[in-house]
Amino acid sequence: MNISPALRWPLPKHDYWSTPFAESLLRHLALSPEIHILDIASGHGIPAFYLAEQVGPTGEVLAIDMSADQVARARAIQGSHLPWLRFACVDMRALPPDLPTFDRVTGNLSVMFFRPSRFETIRGLVERLNPGGQLVLTFPSYGTFDSLWQLVNQAMIQQGLINERERFQEYLKERPSAQDGRRWFEELDLERVEAIEYPLEVATGPGQEFLYHPLLRGGFLDDVYECFEDQSLAEQFMIDIAQDITRFTPLIAQRCVLSGWKRASD
C-alpha cells in the first residue's frame, strides 16, 4: 500500500469505532494510484477521503450510502477538495444497473447493513468488480461483546423473561461470523479469500456512562431493548446490568476483515 508522507485526509484519530475498523480494512486492501474504487456504507467519509487521496486525481472513488444525511455531511466536509471523489445516496443492496465496474469495492462497517439477504448483496458487489479486482469488507463479527451478551442471557433466565430471551437468542443467531463471510466469498468463486479478526477493546464506566455510551447506545444495546415489549421493564433490566460492569468488562469487539479477489479473465 502506498502511503504519502504528509496526508491531508488521514483517518480521524478521535473516532474510536470507525477508524479502527478502517485501519483493519487498509491492512488488507491493495491500494495504488489511478485505480477506481466503489466505497459502500460510506457514512461521512471514513475511509473514503483517505482512499481518494491515495488514488490521486487519475483515480476515482464513488462513495455511496443509504442515508441522505450522511451523504450531505460528507459533501459538506469535502467542499471543493478531491474532485475525483463523489458521494451519492444509493442503496448498496440494489445497485443501479448502469453503475460501472471498479477495481476495488470497499465497505467499512458494512455487512450488518446488508440484511435481509447478505449473500445476495455481496453477489451484487462482486458483479461490480472488474476481473482481477478486490472486495474488502469489515464488520463487528460474531463474538463481539460476548461477555455482555452472556450476562444478559443469564439475567433473562434468572428473571424468567422467556419471551424476551427468545427474541434475544434470535438476535444472537442472526449475527454473522468470520466463517460466514469466508463461506459467502468462496461460494461466489472469489480467490485468495481471507477472513481475519482483530480484537478491539471498548472502554466504559458503570451506570449511565455504560447505558448511554456513544458506541453502544443507538446500536448494540438497543438490540436488547428491542427484545422487550415493556420498555420500562427493559430500562430497569439494563440499569441492573450496568450497576457492576466488572461482570462483563473488558468489552471486546471483533473487527472482522473479509478480503477476496475476483478471478482474472482467461
Side-chain angles (χ1 to χ4, degrees):
M1 181 175 66
N2 298 325
I3 300 179
S4 61
L7 289 171
R8 291 188 58 201
W9 299 89
L11 299 175
K13 295 180 180 180
H14 64 274
D15 193 308
Y16 301 111
W17 188 246
S18 298
T19 288
F21 276 85
E23 289 170 344
S24 299
L25 183 151
L26 292 168
R27 290 187 195 183
H28 296 263
L29 179 65
L31 269 178
S32 60
E34 301 184 0
I35 62 174
H36 290 205
I37 300 176
L38 173 65
D39 185 47
I40 64 168
S42 57
H44 58 277
I46 302 174
F49 289 109
Y50 179 96
L51 296 174
E53 186 165 51
Q54 292 302 305
V55 303
T58 56
E60 177 189 13
V61 177
L62 172 60
I64 63 173
D65 198 280
M66 291 182 287
S67 168
D69 289 342
Q70 289 278 49
V71 169
R73 182 181 176 191
R75 288 173 176 168
I77 294 170
Q78 180 183 16
S80 61
H81 302 287
L82 305 171
W84 56 93
L85 166 63
R86 182 164 62 92
F87 290 94
C89 190
V90 176
D91 188 342
M92 60 198 166
R93 299 167 301 180
L95 296 173
D98 58 347
L99 193 71
T101 55
F102 298 84
D103 305 306
R104 305 286 185 270
V105 176
T106 60
N108 192 39
L109 289 167
S110 55
V111 175
M112 56 280 202
F113 300 121
F114 291 179
R115 292 179 292 184
S117 179
R118 293 190 174 104
F119 181 78
E120 289 305 317
T121 298
I122 294 174
R123 184 198 299 276
L125 299 178
V126 172
E127 290 173 353
R128 301 267 58 85
L129 267 180
N130 289 326
Q134 184 188 20
L135 171 62
V136 186
L137 308 173
T138 68
F139 65 101
S141 56
Y142 192 87
T144 290
F145 304 148
D146 259 7
S147 59
L148 172 59
W149 306 144
Q150 290 170 10
L151 180 61
V152 167
N153 184 59
Q154 292 168 4
M156 286 180 170
I157 293 173
Q158 292 168 357
Q159 297 179 34
L161 300 171
I162 298 173
N163 293 332
E164 290 81 0
R165 182 170 180 263
E166 287 180 356
R167 298 187 192 104
F168 183 62
Q169 289 299 316
E170 287 301 314
Y171 157 71
L172 294 180
K173 291 176 185 177
E174 200 272 338
R175 295 182 299 162
S177 67
Q179 292 73 24
D180 291 331
R182 176 181 290 277
R183 185 182 71 252
W184 297 331
F185 276 33
E186 290 175 345
E187 288 181 5
L188 290 167
D189 201 32
L190 296 181
E191 57 183 1
R192 289 182 276 165
V193 172
E194 294 181 300
I196 309 295
E197 292 178 309
Y198 301 98
L200 174 68
E201 182 174 347
V202 174
T204 182
Q208 295 296 301
E209 183 178 340
F210 166 72
L211 291 174
Y212 293 96
H213 192 290
L215 299 184
L216 300 173
R217 199 63 188 265
F220 293 96
L221 293 187
D222 285 13
D223 291 323
V224 179
Y225 282 83
E226 289 171 5
C227 296
F228 289 77
E229 292 184 1
D230 183 343
Q231 286 303 293
S232 62
L233 178 60
E235 186 66 22
Q236 186 56 55
F237 178 84
M238 291 305 297
I239 288 173
D240 292 342
I241 292 287
Q243 285 180 347
D244 183 7
I245 65 169
T246 61
R247 294 178 295 172
F248 57 82
T249 54
L251 271 178
I252 304 296
Q254 294 295 341
R255 294 173 288 167
C256 184
V257 184
L258 300 177
S259 173
W261 294 78
K262 191 170 186 176
R263 297 182 186 276
S265 300
D266 296 332

